[in-house]
Amino acid sequence: MSEEQRKVSGSSPGSTSKIMNVDRILNSESYDWHQSMDITPSDFPYLQQLLEESFQEWKRDSSGLQMILQSDWAIVGPNGEWVTGDPKLQKYLWIKDDATLRRTLELQAVTIGLSEEVSGVRTICATPIVSRIHHDVFAVLISAAPSHIDSEQIQFMTESAAVMLRSCFYRRFERIFVEDMAKIHEQAQREASRRSNLFHYVKRMHAQNNVDGVLTEVLDSVHGLYPYANVHLFMSQDHQSSHPLVKPLLLHHWQEEVYVRTFMEGSLTVCDDTEQADNMVEIGVPVGGKQGVYGVLHLQVEQAQLSDMDLELLGMMADAAGTAFENAKLYEQSNLMIHELRMINELTQQLNKSLQLSDIYQFANEELLKILTAEYCCILSYNEELGGLEVVSCNASNLEKEVFEKNYGLGGHVFHSKEPLFMADYSVERPADSKLMESTGSNSMIATPLIVNGEVRGVILLTHRNRHYFSYDNYRLLQALTSHIGLAVGNASLHAEVRWMANRDMLTELYARHYLDEAIHECQSRDFCGSLIVVDIDQFKQVNDTFGHQRGDKILKQVSGIVKTSIRQSDIAARWGGEELAVYLPGLGIEQALQVAERIRIRVAEETEPRVTVSCGISEWNWMHDRVSVESLFYRADMALYDAKNSGRNRIVIERTEVCE
C-alpha cells in the first residue's frame, strides 16, 4: 500500500504483509479473509479521517433513534485527543482531564460519571472501541445524556452505539482494502494491456500500406497506452491528413517549440518545467525512417505518469511508425506514379483530339481542376499584338479575357523567372500581388510556366482558399501535365499556322480564293443576306510594263492593305486572281456594299504610289431569292465588273447597272 493509502486505511509497514497477503487470503476457500484485516497501534496516528467518516456514517444510520438524539456524542483517540463530535462537547476542555475518560483509557472498559459543565447536569459514558484481533483501544465513544435517564440505559445505549460505530469503521476499512486490491488489479491489467498493445501495434504497423492508416494507428495506440496524455502528431508539409490530431509542422520560431526542436535535431526531447503547478512534462519523439524525419509525436503528460521505460517505449513506437510511414509512402508514391502516368496518357489523348487553341485551353482548365482538386485555375497566354498576358481560360468569371501587363503579379513573376512557384500561404509569402488570389480569397497556389517549342508562352496557375493545401506531389504533377499541355498548344499553333498559310495569298496576305468560296458557303447556311464586291486594278498590265513587276507587286500590296483596313473584322477579303480582289460582306445588302466599295475606290485613288484606280462589281443574295450558288454570285459580280471596265474604269457597277463615277 502507498503511504497515503496506509494513512487512510490504518496499514503500517509492520502490518502490510499481514494485511496485504492477497494470494493467501484469496486462495483459501474456508478463510474468512475480511476478518483477518485489522489495525495495530502503529496505525493509530493515521486513523483520524477514517474515524471521522465512520462517525458521520454512524450518525446518519442512527438519526432515527430517540435516545441517540437526546444525547451529545463525540469520539476521541486512544490518548484522549479530540477526533470529532458535537461542537458543544469540543467547546469545553474537560475531556482530556475528565476522570471518566481517564478510567476508561486506564481500565479499557466502560465507565460512567456526571458532569455539570455541559448544559447542566449530564451523565457521561465513555466506551472504548477495540481492534478485532488484539483488542487494542484505538478510539473512545463518549455520550453526554440528560441526568434523568437511567444510567444503565445510558450505558447500554452507549455500548450499542460503540458496536455500531465499530461496524461502520471496519466496513469503511474493508472498502479501502477492496479499493486498493482493485487498483492493484487495474494496474496489473493496464501493464498487461500495454504490453499486448505494443505487440499488436508493431504487428499492425508492419501490415499497413496506407499513410493515413499508419498515422491513425500511431495516435490510437499512444492514446490507448496513455489515455490521460495530450497527444498530437506534427507532420511536415509533404503530407496532409484529415485526422484532427495531425497538425502541420511549421518552422517559425523553432527554438521555442519542443516539437520543432525535436524535428530539427532528430532526437527525443523532454521538457520538464518543475515551476508549473500542474507538474506537466512535454515530450517530442521524432518519427523517421532511413530517408529522414517525417514528423514529431508530441505528448503532454503528468510527471507521475512517466518513467524511463515509457520514454524507451515511445521511442520504439515512433521508430516503428517512421519505418511503416516510409514504406507506406513509397507504396503510395508508386501507385501515384502509375496513376499519374495513366492521367497524363488520358490527358494527352484528349488534348490531341482538338487542334483549336480555345478548346485545348478550356479542356486543360477543366482537367487540371479535376486532377489536382483545385478551386480555381487560370491559364495566361502571351499576346504579342496586345503586349501582355491574356487570360485565355479561367473559371473565375471576373477574370475572363482580361489582359495583364507581362510583368504584373504572380503570373508575370512566373513568366519572367521561367520557374514554377509553390506558395502555401499568400498572407505570409507574397513575392507579388495577384488579382486572382485576392478576388477569389485564395491562400494556396501552385504555378508553372507554359513552355511551347522551348519558349515560355504563358503561365498556368491553380489556387485554393485553404492554407497549405497543395502538396509537393501536386506541384510536381502540375509541371508534368503542363509539359503535355505545352505540346498540345504547340501542335495546335503549328496547325493554325499551316492552315493560315494554306488559306492565304503569300503576296497580299489576303485569303486565298478557295477559302473565300468555303466561307461564303458557310455564311449562306446561317445568314439572311450577303454581298460580294470584286475589285480590279485598272490598267495593271501597263503599270507592270512601265514600272516593272516589283513595283507592280508593291501596288498590289498597297491596294490589298487599303481593302483590309476599309472593311469590318467579320468581312472576308481574298485575292481573286492576278490583280483582282474580292470582298464578301456577310449580313449586308447592296446599299451597304456600295458604301464600302466607294470607300475603297476613293482611298485607292488617293493613297497609292504611283497612283492607280480600281473598278468594282457588286452582287448580292438574300433569303427571299431562290438559293443562290457561290458560282452565280461570283458570275454576276464579275459581269458587273466587266461593265465597269468597259464604261470607263474607276467606277462601281451593281449587277450590270451603272451606279457612280
Side-chain angles (χ1 to χ4, degrees), residues 378 380 389 404-427 429-438 440 442-449 458-463:
C378 181
L380 304 173
L389 291 170
F404 298 99
E405 294 182 7
K406 63 180 181 179
N407 58 352
Y408 167 78
L410 295 175
H413 175 78
V414 175
F415 182 79
H416 281 285
S417 67
K418 302 180 182 180
E419 295 291 337
L421 175 66
F422 190 119
M423 189 166 58
D425 190 343
Y426 180 65
S427 62
E429 314 167 50
R430 187 179 296 198
D433 293 333
S434 172
K435 187 174 181 179
L436 172 64
M437 300 292 285
E438 293 167 2
T440 60
S442 297
N443 286 291
S444 298
M445 169 183 280
I446 49 177
T448 185
V459 180
I460 297 180
L461 307 98
L462 281 91
T463 72

Side-chain angles (χ1 to χ4, degrees), residues 433-506:
D433 293 333
S434 172
K435 187 174 181 179
L436 172 64
M437 300 292 285
E438 293 167 2
S439 63
T440 60
S442 297
N443 286 291
S444 298
M445 169 183 280
I446 49 177
T448 185
L450 179 61
I451 299 176
V452 180
N453 298 326
E455 296 182 0
V456 177
R457 290 277 298 275
V459 180
I460 297 180
L461 307 98
L462 281 91
T463 72
H464 199 282
R465 282 172 287 187
N466 292 347
R467 293 177 173 84
H468 305 279
Y469 179 78
F470 296 108
S471 67
Y472 178 76
D473 291 333
N474 298 142
Y475 174 69
R476 183 178 52 80
L477 179 58
L478 174 61
Q479 295 177 63
L481 294 174
T482 302
S483 64
H484 291 272
I485 295 172
L487 290 174
V489 171
N491 290 337
S493 300
L494 181 61
H495 178 267
E497 184 178 350
V498 171
R499 185 177 179 184
W500 185 90
M501 293 175 63
N503 291 329
R504 299 278 178 169
D505 175 69
M506 299 306 296

Side-chain angles (χ1 to χ4, degrees), residues 261-530:
R261 190 162 69 248
T262 302
F263 180 79
M264 299 295 292
E265 297 175 357
S267 59
L268 187 143
T269 305
V270 179
C271 181
D272 182 5
D273 191 353
T274 55
E275 297 181 358
Q276 292 185 0
D278 53 7
N279 199 22
M280 298 293 288
V281 177
E282 192 174 0
I283 308 168
V285 188
V287 178
K290 294 180 179 180
Q291 299 182 6
V293 177
Y294 304 105
V296 174
L297 181 63
H298 182 258
L299 291 87
Q300 289 179 307
V301 62
E302 292 183 7
Q303 174 75 44
Q305 299 179 358
L306 190 68
S307 65
D308 292 340
M309 186 176 296
D310 291 313
L311 294 177
E312 184 179 354
L313 175 64
L314 288 171
M316 293 173 61
M317 294 178 68
D319 288 342
T323 302
F325 178 88
E326 191 171 69
N327 293 336
K329 193 73 174 176
L330 291 173
Y331 179 78
E332 285 191 356
Q333 286 176 346
S334 63
N335 287 338
L336 179 63
M337 186 175 296
I338 294 172
H339 180 61
E340 289 177 359
L341 291 173
R342 185 180 297 114
M343 287 191 299
I344 291 172
N345 182 52
E346 293 176 358
L347 177 67
T348 304
Q349 290 180 357
Q350 293 296 326
L351 289 172
N352 289 335
K353 287 183 178 180
S354 175
L355 291 173
Q356 296 293 326
L357 278 174
S358 59
D359 294 341
I360 291 174
Y361 287 133
Q362 183 61 31
F363 178 77
N365 188 304
E366 295 171 355
E367 288 300 305
L368 289 175
L369 287 171
K370 186 192 307 180
I371 293 172
L372 298 171
T373 62
E375 287 184 331
Y376 297 97
C377 176
C378 181
I379 302 178
L380 304 173
S381 178
Y382 181 65
N383 189 316
E384 294 182 0
E385 294 181 1
L386 301 176
L389 291 170
E390 180 184 6
V391 178
V392 291
S393 181
C394 184
N395 62 324
S397 57
N398 62 310
L399 297 178
E400 289 181 358
K401 302 302 180 184
E402 190 161 347
V403 179
F404 298 99
E405 294 182 7
K406 63 180 181 179
N407 58 352
Y408 167 78
L410 295 175
H413 175 78
V414 175
F415 182 79
H416 281 285
S417 67
K418 302 180 182 180
E419 295 291 337
L421 175 66
F422 190 119
M423 189 166 58
D425 190 343
Y426 180 65
S427 62
V428 177
E429 314 167 50
R430 187 179 296 198
D433 293 333
S434 172
K435 187 174 181 179
L436 172 64
M437 300 292 285
E438 293 167 2
S439 63
T440 60
S442 297
N443 286 291
S444 298
M445 169 183 280
I446 49 177
T448 185
L450 179 61
I451 299 176
V452 180
N453 298 326
E455 296 182 0
V456 177
R457 290 277 298 275
V459 180
I460 297 180
L461 307 98
L462 281 91
T463 72
H464 199 282
R465 282 172 287 187
N466 292 347
R467 293 177 173 84
H468 305 279
Y469 179 78
F470 296 108
S471 67
Y472 178 76
D473 291 333
N474 298 142
Y475 174 69
R476 183 178 52 80
L477 179 58
L478 174 61
Q479 295 177 63
L481 294 174
T482 302
S483 64
H484 291 272
I485 295 172
L487 290 174
V489 171
N491 290 337
S493 300
L494 181 61
H495 178 267
E497 184 178 350
V498 171
R499 185 177 179 184
W500 185 90
M501 293 175 63
N503 291 329
R504 299 278 178 169
D505 175 69
M506 299 306 296
L507 177 63
T508 62
E509 294 188 355
L510 299 178
Y511 284 108
R513 177 173 177 174
H514 68 87
Y515 178 84
L516 181 63
D517 291 345
E518 296 172 1
I520 294 175
H521 272 297
E522 184 178 350
C523 291
Q524 285 185 328
S525 65
R526 66 171 187 266
D527 296 337
F528 60 91
C529 69

Side-chain angles (χ1 to χ4, degrees), residues 129-334:
I129 303 175
V130 298
S131 61
R132 284 173 171 171
I133 299 176
H134 297 288
H135 304 290
D136 297 320
V137 177
F138 64 87
V140 176
L141 179 63
I142 301 173
S143 67
S147 59
H148 67 268
I149 301 177
D150 183 70
S151 59
E152 292 184 359
Q153 291 183 344
I154 294 174
Q155 181 177 347
F156 176 77
M157 176 187 66
T158 306
E159 289 178 340
S160 300
V163 173
M164 293 177 61
L165 179 60
R166 183 173 181 267
S167 176
C168 291
F169 174 84
Y170 275 104
R171 185 163 59 247
R172 284 191 166 272
F173 179 68
E174 291 166 3
R175 184 183 306 163
I176 292 174
F177 178 79
V178 172
E179 289 175 354
D180 286 344
M181 289 179 60
K183 288 180 181 178
I184 293 172
H185 181 66
E186 180 183 353
Q187 184 177 1
Q189 283 188 324
R190 188 164 56 248
E191 290 295 329
S193 175
R194 192 158 79 172
R195 294 189 189 94
S196 177
N197 283 343
L198 179 59
F199 172 77
H200 290 293
Y201 164 81
V202 175
K203 185 177 180 180
R204 289 192 298 269
M205 279 296 176
H206 284 293
Q208 290 288 348
N209 57 8
N210 176 271
V211 170
D212 288 329
V214 170
L215 301 184
T216 301
E217 185 62 44
V218 174
L219 292 167
D220 290 347
S221 298
V222 173
H223 266 300
L225 293 174
Y226 305 96
Y228 302 109
N230 184 12
V231 182
H232 285 91
L233 189 58
F234 292 91
M235 299 300 295
S236 64
Q237 192 172 314
D238 291 342
H239 179 74
Q240 303 291 328
S241 174
S242 59
H243 197 289
L245 298 181
V246 178
K247 306 293 183 182
L249 197 153
L250 305 178
L251 301 181
H252 302 297
H253 310 294
W254 66 270
Q255 296 88 345
E256 302 176 6
E257 301 291 349
V258 169
Y259 62 88
V260 181
R261 190 162 69 248
T262 302
F263 180 79
M264 299 295 292
E265 297 175 357
S267 59
L268 187 143
T269 305
V270 179
C271 181
D272 182 5
D273 191 353
T274 55
E275 297 181 358
Q276 292 185 0
D278 53 7
N279 199 22
M280 298 293 288
V281 177
E282 192 174 0
I283 308 168
V285 188
V287 178
K290 294 180 179 180
Q291 299 182 6
V293 177
Y294 304 105
V296 174
L297 181 63
H298 182 258
L299 291 87
Q300 289 179 307
V301 62
E302 292 183 7
Q303 174 75 44
Q305 299 179 358
L306 190 68
S307 65
D308 292 340
M309 186 176 296
D310 291 313
L311 294 177
E312 184 179 354
L313 175 64
L314 288 171
M316 293 173 61
M317 294 178 68
D319 288 342
T323 302
F325 178 88
E326 191 171 69
N327 293 336
K329 193 73 174 176
L330 291 173
Y331 179 78
E332 285 191 356
Q333 286 176 346
S334 63

Side-chain angles (χ1 to χ4, degrees), residues 597-615:
E598 181 64 12
R599 182 163 58 245
I600 293 172
R601 187 187 69 81
I602 293 174
R603 288 188 59 193
V604 168
E606 294 177 351
E607 298 176 14
T608 54
E609 179 60 35
R611 298 300 177 98
V612 294
T613 60
V614 294
S615 299

